[in-house]
Amino acid sequence: MDKLVIEGIGRLEGTVTISGAKNASLPILAATLLSDEKSVIRNVPMLRDISTMLKIFKCLDVKARQDGDTVVVDPKGYKKCMAPYELVSTMRASICVLGPLLAKQKFAQVSYPGGCVIGPRPIDLHLKGLEALGAGIKVEKGYIVADGRRMRGGHVYLGGHFGSSVLATANVMMAAVLTKGVTIIENAACEPEVVDLTSFLMKMGAKIKGHGTHRLIIEGVRRLHGADHRVIPDRIEAGTYAIAAAITKGDVTLRNAKLEHMVALVDKLIESGLHIRKVPNGFRVKYVKKLKPIDVTTLPYPGFPTDMQAQVMSLMAVTEGISVITEKIYPDRFTHIMELNRMGADIRLEGPSAIIKGVQGLSGAPVMASDLRASAALVLAGLVAKGRTEVKRIYHLDRGYEKIEEKLAALGASVWREKEK
Ligand code: EPU
């Protein structure tokens, strides 16, 4: 297994190119299963999660290949409908093949996703939505076994204890586009990744009204065709590099990043004192003065994204004053706190809120995170920590950050990958 080694040296400068969004690519790839025709998906990041999805395609006898950032999927004639435990257990997002398989093959068997280090991640809303469309659902031997022979349009409210659900909206929408009748999804998630999926489905011939709103009205069609689509840029990767610029007192231009997808984060960074301005095809983040502490609460889009909570915490850990970060999507998503404290941060947890007392500096240490965004937070901390930081179990980072060490090194960071002994 690899680890990432970082020698904290300070200021990052230059331009980084933001890759396509992992969390848009995954459901869009799943949506290609709704057709018999070939689809071409562009701007797909080369990541472990994408390879996992392509492995699932292999199990389904669906031909797919990734060439650079382009994935060509040819689902012609595939009949299989089972996503195995070995793959689903490594990536929860595999659940998003459930809706397409059910709608296309009228039957699906997908391993029930297991627990997750960021806390309980139930799938009740996915199942509620599919049942509202008439799917028969059982759980057998650890698998969701779904029968779609009696499906027809339905009306469903997809709100849970923590608000809307990104992948439940994706799953139910993908099932509804090929299901006879009209389906209405209330409280649909509006994250840019859901909107991108909706655009792709519409290119395939799906009839969807309310695109980008909390109320989707879907009229099922008999057949969808293949489509050619370019995935939106990854707002979480962009946000992570924006924090890298801030934490190192640097000046970084994020090429391809879409400011309009990142309003809540940008608003908070500006409040803290960062200079952010739009440039052609991206935006520039520049440290101009001492940053101020900020309070952040994670919420569904357009609120502050939970996927940026850990990275902002690293920034606040070295920002003088007291900040409070409250997690309202995944109340247990705090595994990075202990590791940041091992590097000299002063953070304590009170219920769903982290109270962060900014310290003068951090010191490099061997650290380990068991979640993707927590790992990113430790890398950011390592960029400004004195001495050497080793982020272990780097496979989490490889799930979501394309060529992270190359991109950071190009901005002037001293960072490299080593084999763990
Ligand atoms: N929830 C339920 N029941 C459900 C589904 C979700 O109660 O059936 C709850 C969750 O437990 C959570 C909230 O609803 O409290 C929102 O979860 P959501 O379903 O929106 O999460 P997701 O769709 O499984 C996606 C991203 C996550 C991101 C969340 C929230 C993908 C592949 N994953 O997950 O990304 O944190 O939305 O924005 O799109 C990451 O990239 O690191 C990551 C974890």
Side-chain angles (χ1 to χ4, degrees):
M1 204 181 298
D2 292 349
K3 64 183 172 191
L4 210 64
V5 184
I6 306 149
E7 299 269 11
I9 50 159
R11 201 170 155 78
L12 296 192
E13 261 181 358
T15 297
V16 60
T17 301
I18 301 306
S19 302
K22 161 181 92 75
N23 290 349
S25 302
L26 291 169
I28 287 173
L29 286 171
T32 63
L33 299 174
L34 288 162
S35 173
D36 286 316
E37 296 174 17
K38 200 183 271 185
S39 285
V40 180
I41 316 298
R42 301 175 198 274
N43 203 29
V44 178
M46 291 176 87
L47 296 171
R48 226 164 57 100
D49 277 7
I50 302 295
S51 323
T52 304
M53 185 57 95
L54 300 189
K55 283 183 192 156
I56 292 178
F57 281 15
K58 199 163 182 206
C59 294
L60 296 168
D61 280 345
V62 171
K63 290 191 209 75
R65 69 187 152 76
Q66 181 164 22
D67 189 3
D69 70 356
T70 302
V71 179
V72 178
V73 185
D74 185 359
K76 191 165 181 237
Y78 83 101
K79 291 278 178 297
K80 294 205 175 144
C81 47
M82 207 263 268
Y85 172 74
E86 293 68 35
L87 294 171
V88 179
S89 60
T90 65
M91 182 181 78
R92 284 187 51 91
S94 327
I95 187 74
C96 63
V97 299
L98 179 60
L101 289 176
L102 196 54
K104 183 71 173 45
Q105 310 288 36
K106 305 288 170 238
F107 188 76
Q109 198 179 349
V110 176
S111 174
Y112 203 104
C116 176
V117 288
I118 67 178
R121 291 181 72 183
I123 53 162
D124 55 310
L125 296 173
H126 299 241
L127 303 186
K128 175 185 172 186
L130 297 175
E131 279 172 338
L133 302 191
I137 296 195
K138 289 185 288 190
V139 178
E140 275 175 5
K141 297 182 182 160
Y143 279 76
I144 302 155
V145 181
D147 180 345
R149 284 173 300 181
R150 298 213 179 129
M151 279 169 73
R152 30 86 191 123
H155 192 163
V156 63
Y157 176 79
L158 276 191
H161 195 59
F162 297 100
S164 54
S165 161
V166 172
L167 289 181
T169 302
N171 244 334
V172 179
M173 175 163 61
M174 289 191 281
V177 289
L178 269 191
T179 296
K180 198 171 172 189
V182 174
T183 294
I184 301 178
I185 304 177
E186 308 276 7
N187 201 30
C190 289
E191 271 67 3
E193 295 76 18
V194 177
V195 177
D196 203 28
L197 168 67
T198 313
S199 305
F200 177 65
L201 290 169
M202 289 166 77
K203 281 186 192 168
M204 295 177 87
K207 292 191 176 163
I208 305 173
K209 284 190 196 148
H211 189 191
T213 74
H214 288 297
R215 188 168 205 255
L216 298 174
I217 304 171
I218 302 156
E219 192 186 330
V221 295
R222 286 173 66 86
R223 190 163 287 115
L224 291 171
H225 48 81
D228 191 317
H229 186 76
R230 189 173 175 80
V231 171
I232 55 169
D234 195 312
R235 64 192 167 108
I236 307 302
E237 190 199 21
T240 304
Y241 285 102
I243 305 268
I247 204 167
T248 63
K249 302 188 168 61
D251 180 358
V252 175
T253 297
L254 307 168
R255 186 191 287 137
N256 290 349
K258 269 199 156 63
L259 202 56
E260 55 271 37
H261 289 169
M262 302 172 60
V263 174
L265 171 69
V266 166
D267 184 66
K268 281 291 167 189
L269 293 180
I270 290 174
E271 182 186 325
S272 180
L274 219 56
H275 188 96
I276 298 186
R277 76 179 158 80
K278 232 177 158 155
V279 296
N281 197 24
F283 65 95
R284 180 172 170 189
V285 181
K286 190 172 175 190
Y287 179 94
V288 285
K289 59 177 184 215
K290 194 169 163 190
L291 297 183
K292 290 186 293 191
I294 45 173
D295 291 344
V296 165
T297 300
T298 65
L299 289 168
Y301 191 82
F304 192 94
T306 172
D307 291 344
M308 283 303 305
Q309 179 256 106
Q311 301 91 314
V312 162
M313 196 177 298
S314 292
L315 179 62
M316 289 303 109
V318 290
T319 301
E320 207 179 303
I322 307 271
S323 309
V324 180
I325 298 185
T326 304
E327 176 56 69
K328 291 248 179 152
I329 307 291
Y330 298 115
D332 296 331
R333 194 177 203 177
F334 285 122
T335 54
H336 40 288
I337 292 183
M338 288 309 290
E339 297 301 290
L340 288 172
N341 283 349
R342 291 187 59 249
M343 296 176 75
D346 184 351
I347 307 172
R348 77 192 148 80
L349 196 54
E350 278 192 14
S353 299
I355 319 292
I356 305 135
K357 211 164 155 187
V359 294
Q360 290 279 327
L362 299 173
S363 74
V367 284
M368 190 163 76
S370 25
D371 144 47
L372 166 59
R373 308 304 170 186
S375 304
L378 297 176
V379 172
L380 292 169
L383 290 173
V384 284
K386 200 160 175 219
R388 176 181 168 113
T389 295
E390 292 184 359
V391 181
K392 295 174 185 284
R393 290 203 190 159
I394 197 193
Y395 63 85
H396 290 292
L397 274 173
D398 291 337
R399 287 190 36 226
Y401 289 92
E402 190 175 46
K403 298 183 184 153
I404 186 165
E405 69 274 32
E406 283 175 36
K407 290 188 182 186
L408 285 172
L411 295 172
S414 177
V415 48
W416 65 95
R417 188 179 285 254
E418 276 182 15
K419 285 260 170 277
E420 269 190 59
K421 294 196 184 82

